[in-house]
């Protein structure tokens, strides 16, 4: 039986939400950058350190066994969260960025000059820069797919961009700026029909949407814990057994090997093949705790709550002269990027912070998208499970005050 979405009780589980900023109650609306942490995560980290910490996989004593069990239990939690077929397909990484770089390193061995990588213009820099490495160092060609007027991915352009030279399609599942949700299963079919692989950046989508990597049919899927109420420095890469088998190791060191001799080496199997050195043990355990906490709630109820917050905020902003909302694709996630005519986003963010409201301002690591939108930066409010309608109203009031000061 899912937990009731009792916001006062839920908020009480997040100690930081009770603090004040500049004499006002904290209104934290920067969740797309990083979400806050519940007692479930805090206690998992501190409890492990207090009672059963040791290095994993290498010891025979009790503490090593207990820590290994907790670490591998977290891997199973991630597997279930993504509906991956096996824990062997779940690689712990430092986050989505390292996961994408791991795939880029694996692909580099097979890239020839003229081979193509297809991207959308709404990708985060983490899903752009590694492919530029392949362009600079291996002669890969980057092909860019645009958007429709409402900020949806142009699927006709995507189909036209994928061809016989395509080796990889790298696409966000949900834009960190526009909130646009991509039909990644349809894109995966286009990629596979052309004999290409597909990597999906699930950094935002995994927070708000149910993710089933088998139903999507992707080769690779990356997530990062700190956006899903978990710790920083930990994330996961899903890869199919076939994709992982083809991929060469990303880093060398302990754990990723079976035999090391002076004149030869044999590698371990996945997932350990890609987890060189001592892993982020405590962070992985905290990651598992965050996902288990999130799994207590009904996903549809959470999504409806977050969508209601977005709509309340968007309606409030639509009534303000000079405010432009960026991205209104059908079914978009709870991310609200906007511009105020005559005001810089940084100034907006600093003024609303005076009233305790935390939003993000900048290019959001999406400069090609900013160029498409015709701006250098936007302000962004992003909503989470623990946010309330009262906080949306506080945002609207703070923005009204900012407008009076700036315009």
């Amino acid at each position: 039986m899912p937990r009731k979405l009792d916001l006062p009780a839920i908020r009480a589980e997040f100690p930081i939400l009770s603090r004040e900023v500049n004499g006002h109650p904290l209104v934290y609306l920067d969740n797309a950058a990083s979400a806050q942490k519940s007692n479930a995560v805090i206690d998992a980290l501190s409890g492990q350190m207090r009672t059963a910490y040791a290095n994993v996989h290498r010891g025979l004593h009790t503490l090593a066994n207990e820590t290994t069990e907790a670490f591998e239990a977290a891997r199973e939690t991630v597997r279930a969260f993504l509906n991956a077929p096996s824990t062997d397909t779940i690689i712990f990484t430092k986050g989505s960025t390292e996961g994408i770089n791991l795939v880029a390193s694996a692909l580099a061995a097979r890239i020839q000059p003229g081979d193509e990588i297809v991207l959308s213009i709404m990708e985060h820099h983490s899903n752009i820069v590694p492919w530029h490495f392949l362009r600079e160092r291996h002669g890969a060609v980057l092909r860019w797919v645009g958007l429709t007027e409402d900020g949806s991915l142009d699927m006709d352009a995507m189909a036209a961009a994928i061809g016989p030279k395509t080796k990889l399609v790298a696409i966000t599942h949900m834009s960190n700026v526009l909130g646009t949700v991509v039909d990644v299963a349809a894109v995966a079919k286009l990629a596979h029909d052309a004999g290409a692989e597909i990597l999906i950046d699930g950094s935002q989508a995994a927070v708000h949407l149910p993710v089933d990597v088998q139903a999507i049919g992707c080769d690779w899927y990356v997530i990062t814990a700190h956006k899903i109420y978990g710790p920083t420095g930990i994330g996961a890469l899903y890869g199919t057994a076939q994709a992982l088998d083809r991929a060469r190791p990303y880093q060398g060191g302990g754990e990723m090997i079976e035999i090391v001799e002076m004149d030869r080496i044999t590698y371990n199997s996945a997932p350990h093949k890609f987890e060189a050195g001592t892993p982020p043990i405590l962070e992985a355990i905290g990651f598992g705790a965050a996902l288990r906490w999130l799994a207590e709630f009904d996903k549809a109820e959470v999504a409806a709550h977050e969508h209601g917050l977005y709509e309340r905020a968007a309606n409030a902003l639509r009534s303000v002269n000079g405010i432009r909302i960026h991205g209104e694709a059908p079914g978009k996630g709870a991310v609200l990027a906007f511009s105020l005519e005559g005001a810089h986003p940084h100034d907006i963010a600093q003024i609303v912070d005076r009233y305790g409201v935390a939003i993000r301002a900048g290019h959001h690591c999406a400069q090609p998208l900013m160029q498409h939108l015709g701006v250098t930066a936007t302000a962004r409010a992003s909503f989470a499970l623990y946010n309330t309608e009262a906080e949306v109203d506080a945002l609207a009031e703070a923005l009204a005050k900012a407008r009076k000061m700036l315009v």
Side-chain angles (χ1 to χ4, degrees), residues 122 147-148 150-155 171-185 187 200-201 204-206 208-211 216 221 307 327-335:
M122 59 183 167
L147 309 176
T148 62
D150 65 4
S152 299
L153 181 69
D154 188 331
M155 289 298 293
I171 188 77
T172 184
H173 196 168
M174 175 179 152
S175 168
N176 72 313
V177 178
L178 305 178
T180 299
V181 175
V182 173
D183 185 348
V184 287
V187 179
I200 299 170
D201 178 0
Q204 299 294 333
H208 304 286
L209 305 173
V211 177
I216 293 168
Y221 197 100
H307 181 71
E328 300 201 60
K332 67 170 287 182
V335 178

Side-chain angles (χ1 to χ4, degrees), residues 97-255:
T97 299
E98 185 178 48
I100 295 169
N101 276 273
L102 191 159
V103 175
S105 174
L107 187 63
R110 293 183 279 124
I111 284 287
Q112 300 296 320
D115 286 345
E116 296 177 352
I117 298 168
V118 177
L119 315 168
S120 85
I121 62 169
M122 59 183 167
E123 300 309 312
H124 188 282
H125 292 171
S126 292
N127 200 23
I128 296 175
V129 177
W131 315 121
H132 271 298
F133 287 174
L134 299 190
R135 178 189 61 79
E136 292 175 338
R137 302 169 189 178
H138 299 274
V141 175
L142 305 188
R143 298 200 64 185
W144 296 89
V145 176
L147 309 176
T148 62
E149 189 173 343
D150 65 4
S152 299
L153 181 69
D154 188 331
M155 289 298 293
D156 290 337
M158 175 62 74
I162 299 172
K165 292 185 177 181
T166 304
K167 295 301 179 187
L168 180 78
V169 177
I171 188 77
T172 184
H173 196 168
M174 175 179 152
S175 168
N176 72 313
V177 178
L178 305 178
T180 299
V181 175
V182 173
D183 185 348
V184 287
V187 179
K189 185 177 187 308
L190 290 172
H192 291 155
D193 285 349
E197 294 184 14
I198 181 169
L199 175 142
I200 299 170
D201 178 0
S203 301
Q204 299 294 333
V207 189
H208 304 286
L209 305 173
V211 177
D212 184 335
V213 293
Q214 295 186 78
I216 293 168
C218 54
D219 301 282
W220 308 97
Y221 197 100
V222 298
I223 59 175
T224 192
H226 70 96
K227 298 182 191 295
I228 321 177
Y229 309 100
T232 55
I234 183 71
L237 166 69
Y238 160 77
T240 64
Q242 296 81 5
L244 290 168
D245 186 59
R246 284 194 301 266
R248 64 185 183 183
Y250 176 53
Q251 295 176 321
E255 191 71 18

Side-chain angles (χ1 to χ4, degrees), residues 1 3 118 202 215 228 234 299 303 318 331 380:
M1 184 77 176
R3 277 182 62 181
V118 177
I228 321 177
I234 183 71
K299 291 182 179 180
R318 290 185 188 109
R380 183 186 70 188

